[in-house]
Amino acid sequence: MEDEHGGVLFSALGEASHRALGGGLTLTSGGSTGNRKHITHSWAFNASIVPLGARMFGVADERPGVVINCLTAGEMQGAFQHAAAIVEHIGARLLPAGALMGVQRIAELIQSQTADALMCTPSFAAALFNHDDIDTEQLASLRWLYYIGEPCSQRLRDQLARDWPAIKIRSLGYSSTETGPIGFQCAHLEHGFYHLHADAMLLEVVDPLTLQAVAEGERGEFLLTSLLPDHVPLLRYRIGDRGRVLRNVAKCACGSTLPVLQLEGRVETTIKLGGAIVTQRQVMSVLARALPDLDTSDVQVQINRQANGARMRLVIAQDKLPARAEVALEQALQSEAQASALLRLPGVLGLRVQRLDRSGFETTSAGKTPFFIELGVTPDSAG
């Protein structure tokens, strides 16, 4: 199944899943760029994915005793509920805090309940471990950090390894709202590598333009076909991720014989402005001329759509942009060919550069920090 036409095909699939007999769990994915998708998974499907999610513990020499779940509860998201079910499956005690409880109260809870494992997004972890009013003693009981929902940047991994060497960092799993679990990361795999749930998911690696299979071990776009019974079939779904399946991998040290995939990121992150498609790669290429050391995690493009067009705010991490350099960067972008062409498009009302701490970047309802994010529709500004 290819979903290339504004989500129309997926919308039809979602509607069919809502009408299926037997009920189920309706979830929402997307939303950072306005492309929200809804799908209902059967109760049988939801029960079947819990043992898959718990596989990372079945082959690991680690057994958390008290797990604090700081993923987003509600908001039509499934990660919080799935994580809670995994904790129940492995027989640990669960603290269902959620992401909206506030990092200071959560730090107090970690200390009072001697929580040894934290489940959250990397964005939440960055806010928790960098909060000025949280004492290191409050987090001293933590031994494991399991993240999900977005990539964990090299910067955050390096910081935690340096400042919190007792905490082991691992992905809670490679999954999506639409497909369910795709892979798990055992304790012997490095960041970005996962054992594929080959008994539950068929993964094809294809050329993103032709959709033809690439050679074994080569990089390409992932197409996913779920093998688990559900309300509607998900066939060759374009999840938007790229990577490869490793060739000739011997039995892993964890004991698993499942294939190993390498997740390298998104095929391309884009947003539509003034009738044109703007890509993450284009933005980073333009910025590299003035700020060559920027990483995608240092930048966020915020779009404020108004009745007469869209205003852009280019937010850059304050440790990457010198103080009082915003105006100079705005002027440089005005004279740069690609940026100036974008700013002249119909319906593009202007660009403002803002220097901000990463904790101030906008997040989605699921706690993710996307590169492009829409701030909502507002009335025309006066004057």
Side-chain angles (χ1 to χ4, degrees), residues 118 120-122 124-130 139 142 144-147 152-170:
L118 167 66
C120 63
T121 64
F124 183 91
L128 177 68
F129 288 98
N130 288 291
L139 308 179
L142 290 175
W144 297 283
L145 190 162
Y146 303 114
Y147 66 88
C152 187
S153 69
Q154 184 66 53
R155 177 182 292 102
L156 180 58
R157 298 199 308 275
D158 289 346
Q159 178 206 341
L160 294 177
R162 180 186 67 246
D163 299 340
W164 301 86
I167 298 179
K168 296 179 181 178
I169 308 167
R170 194 143 59 95

Side-chain angles (χ1 to χ4, degrees), residues 268-273 276-292 294-303 312-316 329 333 336 338-339 342-343 351-353 370-373:
E268 182 63 287
T269 302
T270 66
I271 197 165
K272 193 170 185 178
L273 281 175
I277 299 296
V278 181
T279 71
Q280 174 181 289
R281 189 179 308 170
Q282 288 173 325
V283 174
M284 295 304 296
S285 175
V286 169
L287 290 175
R289 295 163 193 172
L291 301 166
L294 278 184
D295 183 76
T296 54
S297 62
D298 303 323
V299 179
Q300 186 175 68
V301 180
Q302 301 175 358
I303 310 298
M312 291 188 295
R313 181 184 299 127
L314 178 62
V315 181
I316 298 178
L329 182 57
L333 292 174
E336 198 280 331
Q338 287 191 63
L342 171 63
L343 294 173
L351 169 72
R352 182 166 71 91
V353 175
F371 185 84
F372 293 111
I373 187 165

Side-chain angles (χ1 to χ4, degrees), residues 108 166 209 254 296:
E108 294 169 0
L209 298 178
C254 73
T296 54

Side-chain angles (χ1 to χ4, degrees), residues 20-281:
L21 299 177
L25 181 64
T26 301
L27 301 173
T28 301
S29 70
S32 61
T33 57
N35 186 24
R36 302 185 71 84
K37 302 174 183 177
H38 305 271
I39 190 169
T40 298
H41 292 297
S42 69
W43 292 120
F45 176 89
N46 283 282
S48 67
I49 65 176
V50 176
L52 298 179
R55 274 179 171 168
M56 61 177 291
F57 296 103
V59 294
D61 185 23
E62 57 188 66
R63 278 292 182 269
V66 182
V67 182
I68 184 164
N69 183 348
C70 294
L71 294 164
T72 299
E75 296 286 349
M76 299 295 289
Q77 304 293 321
F80 182 90
Q81 184 168 329
H82 182 57
I86 291 173
V87 174
E88 178 184 4
H89 189 86
I90 65 174
R93 183 159 68 95
L94 175 67
L95 305 177
L100 302 181
M101 189 173 173
V103 291
Q104 289 178 275
R105 290 179 60 201
I106 283 173
E108 294 169 0
L109 188 60
I110 290 172
Q111 184 176 31
S112 66
Q113 298 297 312
T114 321
D116 56 2
L118 167 66
M119 292 180 174
C120 63
T121 64
S123 295
F124 183 91
L128 177 68
F129 288 98
N130 288 291
H131 198 284
D132 292 336
D133 297 325
I134 293 178
D135 192 287
T136 56
E137 289 299 316
Q138 293 179 285
L139 308 179
S141 62
L142 290 175
R143 292 294 175 267
W144 297 283
L145 190 162
Y146 303 114
Y147 66 88
I148 197 169
E150 61 185 349
C152 187
S153 69
Q154 184 66 53
R155 177 182 292 102
L156 180 58
R157 298 199 308 275
D158 289 346
Q159 178 206 341
L160 294 177
R162 180 186 67 246
D163 299 340
W164 301 86
I167 298 179
K168 296 179 181 178
I169 308 167
R170 194 143 59 95
S171 170
L172 186 59
Y174 174 32
S175 65
S176 76
T177 297
E178 301 94 326
T179 65
I182 301 166
F184 70 96
Q185 189 174 85
C186 76
H188 299 276
L189 291 179
E190 297 180 2
H191 172 77
F193 291 84
Y194 298 85
H195 287 291
L196 174 67
H197 293 301
D199 52 347
M201 186 69 63
L202 174 64
L203 184 149
E204 301 172 70
V205 185
V206 301
D207 182 292
L209 298 178
T210 66
L211 297 186
Q212 297 299 308
V214 300
E216 184 181 0
E218 294 296 313
R219 292 168 169 82
E221 180 180 352
F222 290 167
L223 297 187
L224 297 169
T225 298
S226 176
L227 304 179
L228 298 175
D230 201 358
H231 281 328
V232 293
L234 203 61
L235 307 175
R236 307 194 80 209
Y237 182 64
R238 302 186 74 172
I239 192 174
D241 290 337
R242 58 181 171 82
R244 63 187 178 122
V245 177
L246 274 59
R247 300 176 57 186
N248 304 322
V249 176
K251 184 177 180 180
C252 182
C254 73
S256 175
T257 58
L258 290 170
V260 175
L261 66 88
Q262 182 181 10
L263 177 62
E264 297 184 337
R266 302 292 288 172
V267 173
E268 182 63 287
T269 302
T270 66
I271 197 165
K272 193 170 185 178
L273 281 175
I277 299 296
V278 181
T279 71
Q280 174 181 289
R281 189 179 308 170

